[in-house]
Amino acid sequence: MKIWCCLCYGEEEDDKKGTMRGGNFQDESEAKVGDMENDEPERFLLGKSTGSPDESESQMVDANKDLGEREEVGGSNPLSRDFDQFASSSGQGLMEEEIFIPGEIVLVFYYCTLGVNADGEYLFRDWEFHFAAATSSSDTNGYNFHLTDHKTNKCCLNKEIFNLSSLPNAGADQKGLDSVGQRDGGGGCSVSEMQDSVVRMDLTDDLLHMVFSFLKPINLCQAAMVCKQWRAASAHEDFWRGLDFENRNISVQQLVLIFFPPILAHKLRSPSSSFPSTDSNHVFPQCIGVCLERIVV
Amino acid sequence: MASAPENEKNASAPEKKTLTLKSMINNEEFVVDEHVALQSVTIKNMVDSDCAGDVIPVPTISGEILALVIEYCKNHANPSASEDDLKKADAGIVAKDIYTLIDLVLAANFLDIKGLLEVTSQKIADSIKDLPHQDVREIFGVENDYTPEEEAAVRAEHDWAFEGFP
């Protein structure tokens, strides 16, 4: 059985790099399921959730139609098939928590860009995630197709598929991710450390946080190599709100890694969990536009 | 018992209320004006709750570090100091080796002096950011608790950050 969840996000046209507005998951998933049942190619319409009327909407729709057509032409496209299976087998978008098994998760990541405006600002239109729990490796392999980027005059719709089990920290290293997720629970030993002044003291988590707040992301990544405490401290969301990957060779996969440890730490609790629309602390909405600016050419 | 640094303030401001801070590491005593010492929230809380005697013992902070802390507090207690002057003075205080800085940041944390905590943290961050993590471990006395596989995984996760880095 395949399980999907759909999360849609939109960005106001006049708020190009600002906070992203999350779509209403409940409504969205129902709408998606409805679309799936009808087997309409428009199920991939990324622009639907935003409802922001602007001139680029038509371009979006055009682009999405094109994508939909391609999906249609694909015919045996496993993605379409699984959407259908999901729709018919479940009839709703909410899944049980235990169905999601770390290491058997496939993330399908759509992102749509509108290019760069006259001010040199990046126009990021929409993105969308689908999580899939594959039940066998052969099914998983089925997802590893890659749609060629679709480009119109101003719009480019991209799709990336990640098998999260192949990411370094998924599954096997779940403990490490959990520790990152629980980073705020550490520390609390300042008194004993303070009393032992002869031995060179560790910095407490609070002090590490203070020191790390002066480091750039690249230095944070280097600091993460020191030990687990430092890694957990360096992963604090406070440091990852705005990112600059200029002149760095970073792949979309690594980008996803940066964002997804908190998700995996929660073991993808359920599609209806708070990620990320109601989780204002999550790093993704704040900086995805900036990141994609660097990596989507 | 009393050492040299206490004399100057005693003589110049006898009418002002003073506090004596005593390092419990090497028993050095520092007499400072109360309003200078009160920049430490920890000391302020002690004074406010009337649990501060004539001599306030400061555990875990050596006289050398305490002198730096008091220098910082004096600078920032001076209402006529310009921002530029303070910045220069702060830079002078934190122009120390990394081990002194670590002691200083711990002292600032213990005494709860926000400004000093920030400038010292900034300086530490600047000092470690270009160091290989092996050196950082040594400086901070941190044990490498990664397995080789985990270490490789962490590095792979962020390998974009290690271009041109040892």
Side-chain angles (χ1 to χ4, degrees):
Chain A
M1 176 178 165
K2 307 286 181 288
I3 296 100
W4 291 88
C5 79
C6 312
L7 294 164
C8 300
Y9 299 92
E11 178 186 6
E12 296 293 346
E13 195 60 22
D14 58 356
D15 187 18
K16 293 165 190 76
K17 282 189 178 179
T19 53
M20 306 301 182
R21 186 166 54 81
N24 182 322
F25 174 80
Q26 193 79 33
D27 294 343
E28 197 55 39
S29 68
E30 284 169 7
K32 290 269 165 197
V33 171
D35 280 348
M36 287 174 222
E37 282 166 345
N38 295 331
D39 198 21
E40 292 290 326
E42 283 78 11
R43 62 177 168 267
F44 294 111
L45 270 186
L46 302 182
K48 271 191 170 178
S49 63
T50 71
S52 56
D54 56 64
E55 55 176 13
S56 59
E57 189 76 21
S58 58
Q59 291 162 350
M60 268 302 302
V61 173
D62 287 346
N64 284 309
K65 270 183 183 163
D66 286 350
L67 178 72
E69 280 161 22
R70 194 163 51 230
E71 298 280 358
E72 196 82 330
V73 169
S76 63
N77 183 330
L79 189 59
S80 315
R81 195 177 64 232
D82 292 328
F83 261 108
D84 296 340
Q85 279 183 9
F86 163 58
S88 58
S89 63
S90 73
Q92 58 170 343
L94 305 182
M95 290 294 111
E96 294 297 321
E97 175 175 344
E98 55 269 21
I99 295 176
F100 283 81
I101 305 160
E104 295 188 355
I105 304 288
V106 176
L107 167 73
V108 186
F109 175 37
Y110 298 90
Y111 52 98
C112 178
T113 65
L114 289 171
V116 178
N117 71 9
D119 300 328
E121 285 183 300
Y122 181 82
L123 300 179
F124 182 74
R125 188 62 184 83
D126 270 309
W127 66 93
E128 183 175 312
F129 297 111
H130 302 270
F131 289 106
T135 50
S136 77
S137 55
S138 62
D139 282 351
T140 305
N141 291 335
Y143 295 111
N144 291 332
F145 65 94
H146 185 95
L147 285 178
T148 52
D149 293 354
H150 174 79
K151 294 188 182 182
T152 61
N153 293 339
K154 285 169 109 182
C155 178
C156 124
L157 183 60
N158 304 295
K159 179 178 180 180
E160 295 278 346
I161 297 174
F162 304 100
N163 182 349
L164 297 189
S165 60
S166 70
L167 299 181
N169 280 306
D173 192 24
Q174 192 63 36
K175 267 188 188 167
L177 289 166
D178 284 347
S179 73
V180 171
Q182 294 161 5
R183 60 203 161 227
D184 291 335
C189 50
S190 58
V191 174
S192 62
E193 283 178 357
M194 279 297 179
Q195 284 166 354
D196 184 8
S197 62
V198 181
V199 178
R200 194 61 66 182
M201 288 171 282
D202 293 345
L203 298 185
T204 63
D205 284 359
D206 282 349
L207 280 176
L208 268 187
H209 189 276
M210 178 62 103
V211 171
F212 284 0
S213 69
F214 295 102
L215 290 178
K216 290 190 282 192
I218 182 170
N219 303 125
L220 287 168
C221 291
Q222 292 157 359
M225 294 286 290
V226 170
C227 67
K228 288 176 179 171
Q229 184 202 10
W230 282 46
R231 183 183 179 215
S234 71
H236 195 279
E237 63 217 11
D238 286 358
F239 309 137
W240 297 92
R241 293 187 190 285
L243 297 177
D244 182 359
F245 295 114
E246 195 163 17
N247 298 325
R248 288 280 158 188
N249 296 318
I250 183 167
S251 68
V252 176
Q253 185 160 20
Q254 287 172 326
L255 191 67
V256 168
L257 256 184
I258 289 172
F259 300 129
F260 276 81
I263 317 301
L264 293 173
H266 291 117
K267 296 181 182 176
L268 297 168
R269 282 186 294 232
S270 80
S272 60
S273 69
S274 59
F275 165 71
S277 58
T278 59
D279 181 0
S280 60
N281 287 329
H282 196 274
V283 67
F284 205 95
Q286 283 88 349
C287 64
I288 184 65
V290 181
C291 298
L292 287 176
E293 176 179 9
R294 308 299 181 192
I295 58 169
V296 179
V297 185
Chain B
M1 182 81 105
S3 58
E6 78 170 273
N7 298 327
E8 43 175 346
K9 277 291 165 185
N10 258 352
S12 64
E15 75 284 358
K16 281 187 185 169
K17 191 162 190 296
T18 61
L19 294 171
T20 301
L21 305 182
K22 180 177 175 184
S23 161
M24 300 308 282
I25 300 283
N26 48 9
N27 291 329
E28 239 179 288
E29 289 188 2
F30 299 86
V31 179
V32 293
D33 291 344
E34 189 179 41
H35 77 283
V36 170
L38 290 189
Q39 288 185 71
S40 156
V41 176
T42 306
I43 292 177
K44 184 171 189 302
N45 288 341
M46 287 173 76
V47 170
D48 287 352
S49 57
D50 269 340
C51 53
D54 291 341
V55 176
I56 298 178
V58 183
T60 77
I61 301 175
S62 71
E64 179 202 3
I65 300 298
L66 197 52
L68 289 173
V69 173
I70 291 171
E71 185 186 342
Y72 175 91
C73 290
K74 277 183 187 164
N75 293 338
H76 286 258
N78 178 4
S80 60
S82 74
E83 215 159 279
D84 277 356
D85 290 343
L86 286 178
K87 262 188 190 162
K88 271 183 205 159
D90 288 353
I93 288 174
V94 298
K96 301 288 187 303
D97 65 78
I98 184 75
Y99 298 105
T100 307
L101 288 174
I102 294 172
D103 287 341
L104 192 56
V105 83
L106 290 166
N109 189 49
F110 178 79
L111 293 172
D112 203 346
I113 305 169
K114 190 161 174 287
L116 182 61
L117 191 57
E118 280 177 9
V119 294
T120 315
S121 297
Q122 164 98 62
K123 183 72 179 178
I124 291 176
D126 290 345
S127 306
I128 65 170
K129 73 181 175 193
D130 294 320
L131 290 179
H133 48 268
Q134 295 88 343
D135 293 2
V136 176
R137 279 182 201 135
E138 201 172 306
I139 288 169
F140 287 85
V142 178
E143 206 171 304
N144 178 13
D145 53 2
Y146 287 123
T147 64
E149 294 79 29
E150 285 173 333
E151 192 166 339
V154 174
R155 189 176 179 116
E157 187 179 314
H158 298 135
D159 72 353
W160 56 271
F162 291 95
E163 292 163 23
F165 195 76

